[in-house]
Amino acid sequence: MKALICGGGIAGLALARCLGGHGWEVVVLEKADGLRTHGYMIDFFGPGYTAAEEMGLLPRLQELGYAVDALRYVDEDGRTRAGLSYERFAKAAGGRLISIMRPDLELALYESLPGKVDVRFGTGLTAVTHHPDGATATLTDGTDVAADVVVGADGVHSAVRGLAFGDGEGDRGAQQHGRGEPYVRRLGFHTAAFVFEDPGIHAIGRKNFVLTDTTDRQMGFYSLRDGRVAAFAVHRSADPALPDDPREALRREYGGLGWVVPRALRACPPGHEVYYDLVAQVEVPCWSRGRVTLVGDACYAVSLLAGQGASLGMAGAYLLAEQLAEAPSVGTALRRYEERWRPVVAEKQRAARRGVRWFLPGSQRELRLRRLALRAAALLPGADRYVATALAGRTKGVLRRALR
Ligand SMILES: Cc1cc2nc3c(=O)[nH]c(=O)nc-3n(C[C@H](O)[C@H](O)[C@H](O)COP(=O)(O)OP(=O)(O)OC[C@H]3O[C@@H](n4cnc5c(N)ncnc54)[C@H](O)[C@@H]3O)c2cc1C
């Protein structure tokens, strides 16, 4: 059996790793020219953690991961106004949490690929043709690749979804989000991440994720082991368009935040090295058309508000591979995958939308409430478990239940 996977991110590489392990021939298309070295820090827990354990990846992820002591919200003078102990958060997640840079998670997956997986960097696709027993993709280099299954693991703005699923005309799910990109529900924020060098800021963010305690816009820092600093930013914006120059946009939007933010913005690399996107969820009424299917953000992005997109991408890929390896036909496998995984991601998407105010307060009142909640969590026994559940929803046993 053969799979063509478009997208060599977390979901695509995890699927390639698992299908390759089941003896499938796998081709992965990745539009980037090579593995990324820039990115953002993610908390990796829940079903993706279980999938990584099943794949034997945990030792490598632990090696690449970071020991975070605390998340701290600071004022303009850098004084801590509220915080959350990571040790307690991790304990509430049963100790099954790794803080890791997204490129390092991709690196671990890439290193684990069986030799016969063919990863083609700098390549995408321009067309997908359906057949009764498979599909053919036309690649950007002009060649055709026929496969038993074509998988779009190409993120929120999935090209496979656009080519094989159309523009959403007539889909109720697409129409409910208005005239933007079909199937994409914008949540009213823009987000950005970049990596830069500044020894002073590096000293502040060591073993701590330090964020501005601000309304409507927020910037945070974490110190990397190679001396660089990873910056993360999010601000409220209803604008559906992305800026031509992300660095300029960051300087405009965050320049007034005070503390070390102006310094970080001066050290920000050029726009093409900055990650910048709308914060959005993806809802597709049916994840497969014939032998073309979707996985990860391409069909069920939960958004960074849920803090679990990478985890769900990896776990969904694991589940899809297991179904493809075990089910009597590809059609049955694709149906089972969606039946079992859709309810899990739908619950996370709802939880993320409910948590918007907690994530980025929109007023001084909401900011004060968040500070109070975090202080209570630090003092009351058992409250940290409540906060962890509020942040992450139920995570225990999710993948194992879907696999049954
Ligand atoms: C700031 C931020 C913080 C986050 N924090 C967390 C967190 O703490 N925990 C967590 O679990 N998740 C977190 N997430 C979410 C997580 O990063 C995503 O959900 C996850 O990366 C989705 O994986 P994916 O493989 O489905 O898609 P992506 O990571 O988007 O990968 C898609 C891949 O496809 C490639 N591609 C795209 N189009 C094409 C094309 N046409 N042809 C070929 N290749 C293509 C891209 O280059 C990319 O490599 C965060 C996200 C952001 C933005």
Side-chain angles (χ1 to χ4, degrees):
M1 299 290 279
K2 179 169 179 178
L4 176 92
I5 301 169
C6 181
I10 292 157
L13 291 175
L15 183 64
R17 155 81 174 73
C18 296
L19 285 179
H22 284 299
W24 281 50
E25 192 185 331
V26 183
V27 177
V28 179
L29 310 178
E30 170 51 52
K31 72 174 178 185
D33 289 332
L35 287 178
R36 264 176 284 264
T37 55
H38 288 255
Y40 41 85
M41 185 65 82
I42 61 177
D43 292 323
F44 189 68
F45 58 98
Y49 191 100
T50 309
E53 188 172 36
E54 294 292 325
M55 291 185 226
L57 287 179
L58 283 189
R60 183 64 175 137
L61 296 186
Q62 271 146 2
E63 194 181 346
L64 291 167
Y66 285 83
V68 181
D69 287 344
L71 177 146
R72 292 196 289 121
Y73 290 104
V74 300
D75 65 16
E76 287 204 339
D77 299 317
R79 281 188 307 242
T80 302
R81 302 302 306 263
L84 183 71
S85 151
Y86 252 68
E87 196 194 332
R88 295 180 75 190
F89 181 44
K91 220 161 116 198
R96 295 166 66 81
L97 180 146
I98 297 175
S99 298
I100 185 167
M101 287 293 283
R102 177 186 141 179
D104 287 342
L105 185 51
E106 288 176 343
L107 172 69
L109 283 163
Y110 183 78
E111 289 170 347
S112 77
L113 292 177
K116 58 182 182 296
V117 173
D118 173 9
V119 182
R120 302 188 191 173
F121 286 110
T123 313
L125 41 70
T126 56
V128 178
T129 315
H130 297 272
H131 313 296
D133 56 355
T136 297
T138 303
L139 312 194
T140 46
D141 62 10
T143 58
D144 282 345
V145 175
D148 297 285
V149 195
V150 169
V151 185
D154 45 353
V156 170
H157 310 290
S158 169
V160 174
R161 192 180 67 222
L163 290 168
F165 289 56
D167 61 3
E169 281 283 303
D171 268 341
R172 279 190 303 123
Q175 285 171 352
Q176 77 187 36
H177 307 316
R179 298 171 66 87
E181 201 177 352
Y183 310 114
V184 176
R185 181 200 283 262
R186 298 190 299 266
L187 297 182
F189 302 95
H190 288 200
T191 185
F194 58 94
V195 176
F196 67 102
E197 287 186 35
D198 182 305
I201 301 179
H202 190 270
I204 294 170
R206 204 170 287 147
K207 288 200 160 195
N208 277 253
F209 193 34
V210 192
L211 290 145
T212 59
D213 191 40
T214 37
T215 57
D216 291 332
R217 65 206 63 233
Q218 188 171 57
M219 187 171 278
F221 304 103
Y222 188 82
S223 305
L224 305 180
R225 59 174 74 87
D226 63 4
R228 297 181 303 163
V229 181
F232 153 82
V234 63
H235 71 273
R236 235 168 256 275
S237 170
D239 191 346
L242 295 174
D244 293 333
D245 183 348
R247 179 167 66 177
E248 251 334 286
L250 284 172
R251 287 179 175 164
R252 197 175 54 242
E253 292 293 339
Y254 298 86
L257 276 187
W259 185 45
V260 296
V261 172
R263 236 166 78 194
L265 290 172
R266 279 195 295 277
C268 177
H272 66 272
E273 289 182 29
V274 174
Y275 167 88
Y276 194 109
D277 206 351
L278 307 177
V279 176
Q281 295 185 334
V282 173
E283 291 166 308
V284 185
C286 181
W287 292 354
S288 304
R289 296 253 163 114
R291 295 293 193 89
V292 182
T293 194
L294 304 168
V295 69
D297 275 10
C299 61
Y300 56 75
V302 290
S303 86
L304 74 98
L305 269 64
Q308 283 187 71
S311 170
L312 293 167
M314 192 183 292
Y318 181 83
L319 177 67
L320 173 58
E322 289 301 298
Q323 301 311 314
L324 285 168
E326 283 169 15
S329 70
V330 171
T332 307
L334 299 184
R335 187 172 45 72
R336 284 185 187 161
Y337 151 64
E338 180 168 346
E339 271 171 14
R340 291 166 189 213
W341 206 233
R342 182 184 279 282
V344 172
V345 297
E347 195 253 320
K348 303 288 177 222
Q349 290 182 323
R350 282 192 297 271
R353 293 198 293 271
R354 281 197 303 269
V356 165
R357 289 192 160 69
W358 173 266
F359 176 75
L360 183 62
S363 65
Q364 287 298 327
R365 185 175 166 274
E366 285 171 7
L367 190 66
R368 278 197 297 275
L369 277 176
R370 185 176 68 182
R371 280 184 205 140
L372 283 173
L374 287 170
R375 281 178 203 149
L379 295 172
L380 300 175
D384 47 351
R385 186 174 292 275
Y386 176 79
V387 171
T389 310
L391 288 173
R394 284 189 309 125
T395 54
K396 220 172 151 191
V398 169
L399 179 60
R400 296 208 201 282
R401 272 195 298 279
L403 283 165
R404 262 185 227 140

